[in-house]
Structure formats: C-alpha cells, structure tokens
Amino acid sequence: MITTYAALLEDWSQIFEPDCPIVIEERDVPLSLSDISPLLAKAPFALRAEGDVSTLASQLDELPASLVKDIFALAERFTDLTGKPSLRVRIEGITTNACKKVHADYTDIRLITTYAGPGTDYAPHGDEDCCLQRVPTGAVALFKGRLFGDGHEPCYHRSPPIEGSGTARLVLVIDTPVEG
C-alpha cells in the first residue's frame, strides 16, 4: 500500500520515501483576484520558461509580479529539493479537459499548483483505477514520475474535467528537463 504524505513545515523531502508518490503542501492561493482574472480571460494559453532559477524572471516578465514572485520561490525550493540547477516552468490558462486520462508522467518529480479552478485529481494509493482525490486549489503538490527510480511508484493523476463548464484553470507546472 502506498502512503500519501502531507507536507509538514514546508518539508518536501518526504517525496524521496519509496512509499510516497505524492507530497501535498496545503496553502491559500497567494495571488489576488485582480492578478488572476486577466490571466483567466486570456485562456487558453501556455507560457514556458527553462533554465536556472536566476533566468526565469526575465522569461516570465509578462506575468503579474505576484505570480512571478511565487513561481520564483517555488522554483528555488524545487531546485534545492532536486539538486538540479536547470528546470522547466509552464504556466497555463486551461479551458479544456487537458490531460483527461489518469496517467503518470515521464519525469522524475513534477510540481503542480493550481491558482484558479479545480486542482489536479490524483490516485492516492498508486492505483490508477481507484477513487480519485483532488489537490486543493492553491496547494503545492509534488508528483513522483515514472523516471524517479527503481523501487518508487509514480503518482497517477489527471486534469479535472472542466470542458463545457465555463470554468477556467490557472496552473503552474515545474519539473526538471529530461536528460538525454
């Protein structure tokens, strides 16, 4: 049986435990509605950045300062956790079902946080056919991917179904570039 850990005192290191496919750090959405609303009005869109933490801000300068500040803080923590200096960042305004099938990513660790709309659905016990739970909006979730390593089960998840509902999501994804 796979254990789901809730992060305590902002400690993400539990993701390295073999029986921990996901770490969820609950928090409130750190942005104001005045920063989120214009982005949701632009949806669908995707903005991507890649490199070390110090180069990200210049690649994301069209976003509200409060969002860039949060991305930067999460990217620093993610880099500290993984020990990898380079990372990929994607901020998306989503109006469709996006990744509607339950799947595990081909990466080592992926950070996902939803600033607006429903959070990501996940299988809490590593079973892609079990009842799904939802990461709360605003929470930071670390999903273990298929490439994490031997003896570690990935976290199966999906985007929540929203197509046709009039709902939009604002989602941040951070992960490490795939090494070739």
Side-chain angles (χ1 to χ4, degrees):
M1 182 160 136
I2 304 296
T3 304
T4 302
Y5 290 87
L8 301 173
L9 303 173
E10 300 180 354
D11 179 12
W12 293 349
S13 66
Q14 296 153 340
I15 197 70
F16 295 109
E17 297 295 326
D19 64 345
C20 179
I22 186 171
V23 170
I24 300 171
E25 177 182 298
E26 293 197 26
R27 66 178 190 159
D28 293 330
V29 175
L31 307 176
S32 69
L33 189 56
S34 64
D35 285 339
I36 293 172
S37 294
L39 293 170
L40 291 177
K42 291 181 185 180
F45 71 88
L47 180 61
R48 298 176 187 331
E50 187 169 336
D52 62 35
V53 174
S54 65
T55 64
L56 292 178
S58 65
Q59 297 177 56
L60 302 171
D61 60 359
E62 64 191 69
L63 296 173
S66 61
L67 179 54
V68 173
K69 180 180 176 182
D70 192 58
I71 292 170
F72 189 80
L74 293 173
E76 281 187 320
R77 289 179 62 198
F78 190 81
T79 298
D80 289 346
L81 178 75
T82 64
K84 297 181 182 179
S86 185
L87 45 88
R88 294 183 301 190
V89 172
R90 185 174 75 237
I91 185 84
E92 292 184 283
I94 301 169
T95 58
T96 66
N97 290 344
C99 296
K100 63 183 177 182
K101 292 186 178 182
V102 177
H103 66 284
D105 296 315
Y106 281 92
T107 187
D108 49 5
I109 302 173
R110 176 163 286 165
L111 179 151
I112 302 175
T113 188
T114 304
Y115 295 106
T120 302
D121 294 337
Y122 69 98
H125 302 293
D127 179 2
E128 60 186 295
D129 296 320
C130 81
C131 297
L132 296 175
Q133 294 184 19
R134 183 161 289 164
V135 176
T137 301
V140 177
L142 297 173
F143 294 82
K144 195 176 284 181
R146 293 179 184 271
L147 303 179
F148 190 86
D150 292 337
H152 293 266
E153 291 297 320
C155 183
Y156 290 90
H157 61 282
R158 71 168 187 191
S159 294
I162 62 167
E163 193 163 341
S165 70
T167 299
R169 300 175 68 221
L170 182 62
V171 179
L172 170 69
V173 176
I174 300 176
D175 59 10
T176 55
V178 176
E179 297 174 6

